[in-house]
Amino acid sequence: AGLRGPDIVIGNLARSRRERIDRGLADALDLLVVCGEAGIGLELGLERVARELKEVHPDLAAELGVTVSEMRLLSDRIEALHNMGERVQLESVRAIAATLAQTLRYGTPLGRALRTLTADFRAARQTRMEERTARLPVLITVPMIAFILPATTLVVAGPAFLQLITALEKMQ
């Protein structure tokens, strides 16, 4: 327990943090699209999104804050975005970092790239939700058999069983 326990606890905490960050990415992208279309640059837009999401998604806001700080300190802003993808270790964050790096490198419009990325994220999220709902009937089967079937059997077969007992008593 002393050897494997800390690794398991830290792994669970890291997975939980990644899930919380993943949940807030759609909101962050929406806010970043608004900032980009308002003419705010990438660095200031990320800072604004981090400030706005501080209460709702604190893990994501902290990660964006670290990324903004790195963008200011490092000579290459693309490296700061790459570092964010490596820190979080989520494929969706890496995709965002790659898209933002592409807009910086090639000068493509930030709003258009983020709109495309947001549409992809929404489609992926909807697909995940559909997969979860498709598994629901399988998960509900066992509790239904364990709890509902005996009660239904009792209600349906109970009166017939009582009549059978009454008929057997009259025969004796």
Side-chain angles (χ1 to χ4, degrees), residues 2-172:
L3 182 64
R4 296 286 298 147
D7 290 337
I8 292 170
V9 169
I10 296 295
N12 288 339
L13 289 174
R15 186 176 60 249
S16 173
R17 181 175 185 271
R18 280 192 296 269
E19 287 172 0
R20 288 191 305 268
I21 288 174
D22 193 37
R23 260 182 270 150
L25 281 178
D27 297 335
L29 279 177
D30 288 338
L31 287 173
L32 200 56
V33 165
V34 171
C35 289
E37 290 180 351
I40 298 175
L42 178 61
E43 188 176 316
L44 291 175
L46 285 174
E47 184 179 4
R48 178 69 186 247
V49 169
R51 191 173 47 235
E52 293 292 328
L53 292 179
K54 194 174 229 171
E55 296 293 321
V56 183
H57 303 289
D59 295 320
L60 180 59
E63 193 60 47
L64 291 176
V66 169
T67 303
V68 168
S69 297
E70 279 189 350
M71 288 175 89
R72 289 182 180 152
L73 292 175
L74 296 175
S75 60
D76 187 16
R77 296 178 354 165
I78 295 173
E79 185 179 343
L81 293 170
H82 177 71
N83 290 344
M84 178 179 68
E86 291 301 314
R87 273 193 311 271
V88 178
Q89 294 182 354
L90 275 175
E91 203 56 44
S92 53
V93 173
R94 287 185 180 130
I96 291 171
T99 302
L100 294 177
Q102 178 183 356
T103 61
L104 289 175
R105 183 175 292 131
Y106 300 115
T108 57
L110 180 64
R112 190 177 339 147
L114 289 175
R115 278 201 183 280
T116 303
L117 197 58
T118 303
D120 291 344
F121 273 21
R122 291 194 189 287
R125 177 179 274 180
Q126 185 170 355
T127 302
R128 282 195 310 262
M129 291 294 206
E130 288 172 355
E131 288 172 358
R132 288 178 64 189
T133 55
R135 285 192 331 233
L136 192 60
V138 174
L139 297 175
I140 277 183
T141 302
V142 173
M144 195 167 70
I145 289 172
F147 298 114
I148 297 174
L149 187 62
T152 304
T153 304
L154 184 65
V155 169
V156 171
F161 185 70
L162 291 176
Q163 287 179 355
L164 179 65
I165 291 175
T166 305
L168 289 176
E169 286 177 355
K170 286 182 182 177
M171 288 177 56
Q172 289 180 349

